[in-house]
Structures are given as structure tokens and as C-alpha cells.
Amino acid sequence: MKRHLISAADLSRDDALLILDTADELARISDRSIKKLPTLRGRTVVNLFFEDSTRTRISFEAAAKRLSADVINFSAKGSSVSKGESLKDTALTLEAMGADAVVIRHGASGAPYRLAGWVRGSVVNAGDGTHEHPTQALLDAFTMRRRLGSLEGRRVTVVGDVLHSRVARSNVLLLATLGAEVTLVAPPTLLPVSVDSWPCEVSYDLDAVLPKSDVVMMLRVQRERMNAAFFPTEREYSRRYGLDRDRVAKLHDEAIVMHPGPMNRGMEIAAEVADSARSTIVEQVANGVTTRMAVLYLLLGGADLGGEDK
Amino acid sequence: MAEAIPHAQSHVHAVLEGPDINRALIRISHEILERTKGGEDVVLLGIPTRGVYLARRLAGHIRQFEGHPVPVGSLDITMYRDDLRTRPARPLGRTELPADGIDDKTVVLVDDVLYSGRTVRAALDALAALGRPRAVQLAALVDRGHRELPIRADYVGKNLPTSKSEIVKVYLEENDGRDAVLLLKEDEK
């Protein structure tokens, strides 16, 4: 494995399978009464969050703590960032404190990549702008594998705001590495220009794709990033791209419904679908902790390999 | 530590061959039964990889002698090792406890080679996180000496005096296609 986890594309097939297998073993630990492992004792993990997040930050914190690492939480609000400190100066401060890993969420795409050049520890991307969110893709793949077995040849349909979604990009890259066939479904205005070069298919017709899908992953409509008229009304979006009971009926019996959260119930996903037995939304949160434990263990648990990758 | 090498060197003398290993395991099974009054409340926990196969074989023998099954499981100690930082992160093995757990049981840890004792120390830590056995005992197919911690085995297949520069390799049918214990010089590694 590389020293940092910045993009899902950093992971070879073997790396990805090693993370998922490790997470499988770690999942057994979360069933028992003593969940703590001594593995990362004496290591420091910094959660550096420049954007709001509940589940990702808590998930990384729980993962690091279960491995006995010391966790320092940093959020931009109430820190020197609001006094105008640059990312680099913040990074150098963390470096001076001896962080072994920095988990970063940032509004700017590429911020984790820049950070990786400034700190000695491992950098884990917890979401950068509209770019990537590799641990989300890993926990999604883990969830799919638990429900469906191997991902080889499985059909995964990702629906919604692909343009603003770091989850979609990371998922497409990782799922392609793992041998799944991905189809993106979105209004043309919500697909990035570069989508032709992604290892996936594109469709504008959700109803046509659903019957052959093993997994339907709904993306959140990111209202906070909607600064142009991407679709006429929310109601029209919901009609064409929302997952309601009638659409779910088109899925085959084993197919699952996923959502990275937070959901807009009634917008991209109907409440009754989100709460149905097909939905893995709650599992995804639990699986997030084990998957992130696996990532932290594999990045920090072994020998320090020195400054260079590999 | 034994490691998987698919084609063992044929010119190397085997310290134990298949039948020797079998006899040693049968004797250990009897000793376990003696020491635990017929295997009452015994749980065999193998340490991956080869300890697990050895634990299953011991359980097979005990079942044959006494007519009742003994619970078998596996105990992965990777996350509890004290030398994690000397090598890149290792893949994890499987921890699988019998349905009844280990509380108030006599746990017999089973490993292939007893050397520094550090694996066993890690196993004791791992056990403490899983429950509270009444007693913990240790069975090893080979005891090669050179302990670095105050740990000893209760059941030993063969005491094998070695020098630290030698390497003990254990091969088991289930994992390596043959049963043998080899003693290699460092340059034959």
C-alpha cells in the first residue's frame, strides 16, 4: 500500500481486497464486549475538518480510538483558520505536534494532496471538495460485499448529483478496480464534463437501468453546492431521478439500496425505501468504522517506511 | 516462525516426519485429558495459521478417545504483537471462538513452534479481551528454546535444541501438502 490514501485510484486490486479482508476480520471485533485493540497505542491521529461532517468525523474518531490511537480533533470553526491561518501553516503546526496520520476533510479539491507534501505522517482523504472520498467508497464496497458476495461482474447504478459528488467519483474508480460494472444515472446538467473518461457507463433513464441493477446507490442532492439552475424544480428532479416504491419494485429480489447520507427523504429517496429491508443505510454507518479501522491499521500499524511511497 | 514455502528442500533432514508428528499429537491429546480430568471444560484455541490445524487434529484425537467433542477455535494475535513496527502491516488471521465462549473454561493455546514466547504473550493479551478463562495452558508441537519471556509450555511435541541462527519450519498437510518439521541453517533459508 501507498503511504497516503488520497484517491481510490491509489489502490491496486490487491490493496483494496486487503483492506476489505482486514475489515471483515475487524467487524468480528465490533460484535464483542471489549472492542478495543492495543495496536496503535502511542500513535496520534489528527482529524482535520475544514468542512462540516458528523458521520465521517465520528467514524474516524471511533476507528482510531478502537485501535488505541490518541485522537486530536480539529475543526476549522473556532481555530486559527478563522484568523486567516493557511493550510500549510496549520499542517506545520500538526507536524510539530507529531501527528502520525492526518485525516483531512476540506472544501477544496486537492487539499489532501497538497498536505501530503508538507507532513511526514500518512494523509487520509476524508472528502476534498467535489473530488474524492475514498474511505466512503471502501465502506460502500465492504457493505456490498457483505450483502452480495464478490463484486466481480456486479452491476452498480449510481444515481443523482454526480457533478458535485466526491462519493461517486471514488466509487466509480474503486468499483472498476474490483471488477464491478458501474452505470451513472443523472440529468445531463449534473454530470461532469470529463465523465467520458471514467471507467463506467452513463444513462439518463433510471427506469431502464433498474431491472438489471444489483446495487442502486442514491446520491444526495447537494443543495449547498447548487449555485446554478441544474434542474427546473425539486419536484421534477424527484419524479425523474428519485427512488420511490414503484421504482424499487423494478429491482430484482436480492438488489440493495444504498445512500452515503445525509439523506433528503422525499427528494432523492422516499422515506419508506430508506427504511426498507433492502436499504443498507444504517449498515453503511457501522461498516464505516470497521473499514476505517482497517485503513488506519494498514497505514499506521506496520513499520514506518520512510519518506517515500512504498 | 514457520512460513509457507511450497517446495521444501528435499536434501534437508526432517526432524519430525508425518508419523512422528501424529504420535506426538496423540500423546499430547492423552496428556491434555489426564491433566484436565477427561477434557472437562476444555477449549482448544489454535494460533493461526498452523496452530489452528494442530488444534483441530488434537480435537479429533480427543473425540476419538473420549467419545465427546471438545470445542475448537482460533485466536489471531496480529493486533497484539509487540513487533508490529518492524515490518509492513500484516494481514489479519481469523479469530473464531466456540459458541460457549471461553469464560470459566480451561483454554489450551496451540501453536506450532514455541520460541521467544512473544507470540504466547500476545495471545494472553488477546484472550483477556475475549473473556476470563479459569486456566490457560499451552501446547506446542516444537519447543526450540531461546525464551525471552517467563513462559513455558504445558504440552510439548518435541524439545528441539537449536541455535538462534537456525530456522525451524513446520509443514502441515492442510496448509503445505505434507507433514514435516525441518531444521534449516540460516543460509538455507
Side-chain angles (χ1 to χ4, degrees), chain A residues 136-195:
Chain A
Q136 178 71 42
L138 284 164
L139 78 89
D140 288 340
F142 180 75
T143 307
M144 289 178 216
R145 216 170 68 142
R146 291 217 127 187
R147 284 273 189 125
L148 304 168
S150 168
L151 298 187
E152 197 74 51
R154 291 290 184 176
R155 292 204 168 93
V156 181
T157 304
V158 180
V159 188
D161 183 3
V162 178
L163 179 65
H164 299 106
S165 175
R166 48 200 176 205
V167 176
R169 184 190 307 261
S170 289
N171 258 298
V172 167
L173 294 170
L174 182 70
L175 288 169
T177 305
L178 292 170
E181 295 166 23
V182 185
T183 306
L184 298 176
V185 180
T189 48
L190 287 177
L191 285 168
V193 182
S194 64
V195 78

Side-chain angles (χ1 to χ4, degrees), chain A residues 25 32 39 43 297 302-303, chain B residues 79-80 85 87 90 94:
Chain A
E25 298 303 333
R32 65 194 209 195
T39 316
R43 300 257 169 151
Y297 166 64
Chain B
M79 303 296 263
Y80 296 86
R85 297 218 199 160
R87 294 212 322 224
R90 309 154 207 239
R94 166 89 25 116

Side-chain angles (χ1 to χ4, degrees), chain A residues 23 27 35 80 96 103 146 178 204 208 244 250 253 257-258 283 303:
Chain A
K35 299 180 175 68
S80 291
V103 176
R146 291 217 127 187
L178 292 170
Y204 305 115
D244 55 21
K250 296 187 169 126
D253 290 347
V257 174
M258 307 182 75
E283 273 163 70

Side-chain angles (χ1 to χ4, degrees), chain A residues 221-234:
Chain A
V221 175
Q222 304 196 30
R223 289 194 179 95
E224 74 275 21
R225 295 187 214 269
M226 295 282 176
N227 49 9
F230 292 104
F231 46 79
T233 65
E234 295 193 348

Side-chain angles (χ1 to χ4, degrees), chain A residues 40 196 204:
Chain A
L40 297 184
D196 305 339
Y204 305 115

